[in-house]
Amino acid sequence: FEACQKLSDRIALLMAKGLGVSDESIGWINDEKKDGNTGTDTDEDETSTSSSSLVAKLRSRHTSYLRTNYYPPYTAGETPSNDEEPPPLGISPHKDAGFLTVLVQDDDCHSLQVAQFENNDESVDPKWITVHPTPGAFTINTGDMAMIWSNGRYRAPLHRVLTATTTRISAPFFYNPGYNSIVAPLPSLAEIPLYYPCSWGYFRAVRFAGDFTDIGLEIQISDFLCENGEEKGTSPHLAKQEAILNEIDFSLPFDIERYRPLLEG
């Protein structure tokens, strides 16, 4: 876990530098804070949307986790299907919600695929490209929060996992902001923002509710797209996010029943 965290810290810094953010504005140099402390929380307002705060907070106050995935081998005929239909997927097409993912793949099973859209038009059917792992190397995947933060420059790819005739094991490390973090396009890019500010805590809570409860909510970063430069959008998630943030305490376990009226309202 700690090794993946340090690698993700480094990648996030390089991503920031790639967008023109300086070491001084990030406030971190050579894996240390300017005050000489390492890896501890600060008193900085975690809801800040300054150009540096997200990267700095990712290095001190994050909600990352490491998971091991086991995909059993698939034998044709195990599930009812039409002969013309493809076998079921190991994981359906999706985008990672967090900032980035560090993935260790099984070298002997090549079933991860990434979608390639012509002219980045996601309204058309994609071409699926198999990701062949390099022995001894990691697969790095950009997440939704990095896409918002970079104002669309770092794209979160749609990907899926095929079933295979052999067992597949993977170990993804999901590098996520703190629940109190507000993710917004970098002001230092001096561009018209493509996204409204997004609360990672709200985004993750709604994704959880949609996956594991009967609320049936769906959330994507497209719900936070700016509409013709308007200061306020019409997506219902913007109003729900504001209502949740006025009530929630992210230091406590998330209670879906407590917030059900706000999520369903």
Side-chain angles (χ1 to χ4, degrees):
F1 182 94
E2 291 181 357
C4 289
Q5 177 185 330
K6 290 180 179 179
L7 175 60
S8 299
D9 288 346
R10 180 61 178 162
I11 294 172
L13 284 174
L14 294 174
M15 292 170 71
K17 289 184 178 180
L19 297 175
V21 180
S22 66
D23 283 333
E24 289 73 17
S25 64
I26 294 174
W28 298 78
I29 299 176
N30 297 327
D31 293 333
E32 294 185 355
K33 293 184 182 180
K34 289 186 175 181
D35 62 8
N37 295 325
T38 58
T40 56
D41 290 348
T42 69
D43 292 328
E44 180 186 350
D45 179 10
E46 199 170 352
T47 61
S48 171
T49 57
S50 69
S51 62
S52 61
S53 63
L54 180 60
V55 173
K57 284 299 177 183
L58 275 165
R59 297 167 62 90
S60 63
R61 198 176 299 172
H62 55 88
T63 57
S64 308
Y65 61 97
L66 177 64
R67 186 175 72 196
T68 301
N69 296 326
Y70 169 74
Y71 302 86
Y74 172 75
T75 302
E78 283 186 337
T79 57
S81 64
N82 187 303
D83 291 340
E84 298 181 356
E85 294 179 352
L89 294 172
I91 295 183
S92 299
H94 67 284
K95 297 179 180 181
D96 291 348
F99 191 83
L100 63 86
T101 305
V102 177
L103 176 67
V104 178
Q105 294 197 73
D106 191 325
D107 293 341
D108 299 321
C109 185
H110 305 169
S111 55
L112 174 65
Q113 292 189 322
V114 64
Q116 184 181 70
F117 293 94
E118 186 174 358
N119 299 320
N120 292 323
D121 182 1
E122 297 191 9
S123 66
V124 300
D125 291 335
K127 177 181 179 181
W128 289 98
I129 308 298
T130 299
V131 179
H132 297 280
T134 300
F138 298 106
T139 299
I140 307 299
N141 192 29
T142 308
D144 283 334
M145 295 302 105
M147 189 165 175
I148 292 178
W149 172 74
S150 67
N151 209 32
R153 295 195 185 189
Y154 295 135
R155 301 186 65 84
L158 185 71
H159 55 285
R160 68 183 187 182
V161 177
L162 303 178
T163 51
T165 57
T166 59
T167 294
R168 177 180 186 263
I169 295 177
S170 68
F173 174 80
F174 298 98
Y175 189 57
N176 299 330
Y179 287 131
N180 285 320
S181 294
I182 303 295
V183 182
L186 282 164
S188 60
L189 293 175
E191 299 173 342
I192 297 175
L194 299 180
Y195 298 93
Y196 296 111
C198 172
S199 160
W200 167 245
Y202 172 77
F203 193 90
R204 189 71 185 91
V206 175
R207 184 66 62 87
F208 168 84
D211 290 343
F212 299 109
T213 75
D214 60 353
I215 290 182
L217 280 177
E218 175 66 24
I219 190 169
Q220 303 291 342
I221 60 172
S222 57
D223 294 307
F224 293 83
L225 279 170
C226 290
E227 302 168 0
N228 301 318
E230 296 291 334
E231 290 187 5
K232 291 188 177 181
T234 58
S235 168
H237 280 294
L238 297 174
K240 290 178 186 290
Q241 174 176 269
E242 183 177 1
I244 289 289
L245 292 182
N246 286 333
E247 298 289 337
I248 199 166
D249 180 353
F250 285 117
S251 68
L252 301 175
F254 181 69
D255 183 350
I256 186 65
E257 295 305 325
R258 176 179 177 183
Y259 301 108
R260 179 183 289 270
L262 293 177
L263 293 172
E264 291 183 332

